[in-house]
């Protein structure tokens, strides 16, 4: 299964992926390009493509859409000044033909930081209710890489 992990820069994509893979997360630098990790879980092999989120890299995201089974969108819940930009980028992705049929998983990351928005607020700001009906989506709260499924 091919999963594409995207989000704005500094959202925590690489940290989440490394933590899932059991790697050290004490020294993580910005992703300038992409990381690929293969995770095995309950008989499934997950190939996760973690692509950098800097503005200069986002135009290259489309090069990774082919044969994507699922999109993992990571949101920095505490970065309120960029949530509108986060919403725009997510909605642009959801309109991409090559991502049609891919499931959507949203990690509301950094829930432990002061000022982090709740899942309900994140859902509202990202305007998830207007996401395409054919997109199967989940929203998870992430704090210190602990997952809590809350909204479908």
């Amino acid at each position: 299964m091919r999963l594409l992990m995207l989000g704005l820069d500094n959202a925590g994509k690489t940290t989440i992926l490394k933590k899932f893979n059991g790697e050290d997360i004490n020294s993580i630098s910005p992703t300038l390009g992409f990381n690929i990790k293969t995770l095995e879980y309950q008989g499934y092999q997950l190939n996760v493509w973690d692509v950098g989120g800097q503005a200069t890299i986002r135009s290259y995201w489309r090069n990774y859409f082919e044969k994507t089974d699922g999109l993992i969108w990571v949101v920095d819940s505490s970065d309120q000044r960029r949530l509108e930009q986060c919403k725009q980028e997510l909605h642009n992705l959801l309109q991409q033909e090559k991502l049609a049929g891919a499931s959507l998983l949203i990690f509301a990351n950094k829930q432990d930081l002061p000022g982090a928005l709740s899942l309900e607020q994140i859902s509202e700001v990202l305007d998830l209710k207007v996401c395409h009906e054919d997109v199967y989506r989940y929203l998870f709260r992430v704090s210190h890489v602990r997952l809590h499924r809350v909204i479908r």
Side-chain angles (χ1 to χ4, degrees), residues 115-128:
L117 297 181
S118 69
L119 286 182
E120 292 75 19
Q121 291 169 311
I122 293 288
S123 180
E124 186 176 317
V125 169
L126 295 182
D127 211 3
L128 295 181

Side-chain angles (χ1 to χ4, degrees), residues 66-129:
E66 197 76 34
K67 297 183 181 177
T68 293
D69 298 303
L71 173 63
I72 301 171
W73 183 253
V74 181
V75 179
D76 181 343
S77 303
S78 68
D79 189 0
Q80 294 183 33
R81 66 180 177 78
R82 295 201 311 159
L83 284 174
E84 183 61 33
Q85 182 182 16
C86 182
K87 169 189 165 182
Q88 290 171 354
E89 292 290 352
L90 174 60
H91 284 267
N92 287 342
L93 287 172
L94 295 177
Q95 296 189 17
Q96 298 298 315
E97 190 173 317
K98 287 185 178 178
L99 290 175
S103 296
L104 175 62
L105 171 64
I106 300 173
F107 286 154
N109 197 17
K110 304 183 184 183
Q111 287 286 299
D112 56 311
L113 296 181
L117 297 181
S118 69
L119 286 182
E120 292 75 19
Q121 291 169 311
I122 293 288
S123 180
E124 186 176 317
V125 169
L126 295 182
D127 211 3
L128 295 181
K129 290 186 174 119

